[in-house]
Amino acid sequence: MDKYQEQVAIELQFWKMEVMKKPSLADNITYKIQGKINGYIPQKVHDAITLAIRQMVKAVLFGSEITTSSMPPQEMSLIHREALVKSKIESYCKTGAAEGGITGAGGFLMSLADFPLLIAIKIKLLYEIAALYGFNTSDFRERLYVLHIFQLAFSSKKGSQEVLQQLENWDDKLFLLPENGDGFDWQTFQQQYRDYIDLAKLAQLLPVVGAAVGAVVNYQLIKKLGKTAMMCYRMRSDLTR
């Protein structure tokens, strides 16, 4: 390993330890608050989020409309790849913040429209990151990996720990993975994402502050997803050896 790969390996181990830590008191309180908030949010908000997630899952698993730039040469160094990845994440963070600010300023209905738009931005980013690390998302199994990254980033503490264990040694499990999406538990997927994001995004529906909240929250959510994706692709066996 060169020095950068050693640094990456250390960062990866610390990140894994953080994910696998027992839920804190704050985590447990937040989870209970989210449950209560779900009961107060209008059903049409839940329905809009559920529909957006269902459509996103179908697009990721079966669609061809999500495209990425071409993959970089296989011989490119890890430090170069990750410089491109970090640049891409920052670009998408700014795009998401701008989109959240616009929809947040537009009131309740515009804020509802932000949910599917934000999901589309996130998934496009994941496809771009996968390509930069040299993975071909036309392969159904790589699309499953993308969805698991999404799930890991936006799940409860317990849920994220379960997903991380599924992602470890992914390349050794390829022959066990389904060849289609029939076995994917999208009901659990959508529930975990919805529960995670409702607390952060609820204030975007409020008048006056909605624009500022939308911009900040979108930026932070995309940033979190980008970091999670980097760590997940670092786990792939040939990147840190």
Side-chain angles (χ1 to χ4, degrees):
M1 283 189 185
D2 61 27
K3 288 186 178 180
Y4 186 77
Q5 287 177 310
E6 290 177 359
Q7 176 186 328
V8 163
I10 292 171
E11 290 177 358
L12 179 58
Q13 289 306 312
F14 273 104
W15 175 77
K16 286 182 180 180
M17 290 169 58
E18 183 65 28
V19 173
M20 296 307 295
K21 280 170 55 176
K22 291 183 179 180
S24 65
L25 178 61
D27 291 328
N28 292 329
I29 292 174
T30 298
Y31 185 76
K32 291 179 181 179
I33 292 174
Q34 287 171 331
K36 291 183 179 180
I37 287 178
N38 278 335
Y40 294 118
I41 296 176
Q43 186 58 43
K44 62 181 178 180
V45 176
H46 287 301
D47 291 343
I49 297 172
T50 298
L51 177 61
I53 296 173
R54 181 187 297 122
Q55 291 175 335
M56 181 271 291
V57 171
K58 289 182 178 179
V60 171
L61 291 179
F62 310 113
S64 58
E65 58 273 11
I66 301 179
T67 58
T68 64
S69 54
S70 59
M71 292 187 292
Q74 288 295 324
E75 63 272 14
M76 182 181 291
S77 67
L78 180 58
I79 189 171
H80 191 180
R81 288 181 189 276
E82 294 208 330
L84 295 175
V85 169
K86 291 174 183 177
S87 176
K88 189 71 67 174
I89 292 171
E90 182 62 24
S91 175
Y92 273 75
C93 283
K94 292 177 180 177
T95 299
E99 182 269 322
I102 292 171
T103 54
F108 183 78
L109 293 178
M110 283 287 285
S111 293
L112 283 182
D114 176 60
F115 287 100
L117 290 173
L118 181 60
I119 289 174
I121 291 171
K122 289 174 177 175
I123 292 299
K124 186 67 164 59
L125 172 62
L126 289 180
Y127 270 53
E128 295 278 7
I129 292 175
L132 287 170
Y133 276 107
F135 293 98
N136 186 357
T137 51
S138 64
D139 185 327
F140 179 79
R141 295 169 298 182
E142 288 302 330
R143 295 185 176 208
L144 283 178
Y145 197 75
V146 165
L147 286 181
H148 279 78
I149 294 173
F150 195 98
Q151 194 171 14
L152 173 57
F154 304 119
S155 290
S156 65
K157 190 70 173 178
K158 180 181 177 181
S160 63
Q161 290 173 350
E162 292 174 352
V163 176
L164 178 59
Q165 290 174 339
Q166 294 172 16
L167 291 180
E168 295 226 67
N169 302 313
W170 179 269
D171 293 304
D172 295 333
K173 305 171 186 176
L174 291 179
F175 71 99
L176 297 173
L177 297 175
E179 296 181 358
N180 56 59
D182 295 340
F184 186 78
D185 186 3
W186 75 270
Q187 291 282 2
T188 299
F189 179 91
Q190 70 171 21
Q191 183 64 49
Q192 289 178 337
Y193 177 67
R194 191 179 71 181
D195 288 349
Y196 178 92
I197 207 170
D198 275 348
L199 189 61
K201 296 290 285 183
L202 185 62
Q204 187 177 337
L205 304 179
L206 300 176
V208 183
V209 300
V213 170
V216 173
V217 170
N218 279 12
Y219 188 98
Q220 293 301 324
L221 289 173
I222 295 173
K223 184 176 180 180
K224 175 180 175 63
L225 179 63
K227 178 181 178 180
T228 302
M230 286 187 68
M231 294 300 177
C232 288
Y233 283 109
R234 285 175 171 183
M235 287 196 300
R236 303 297 282 270
S237 58
D238 61 335
L239 294 179
T240 54
R241 286 178 182 172

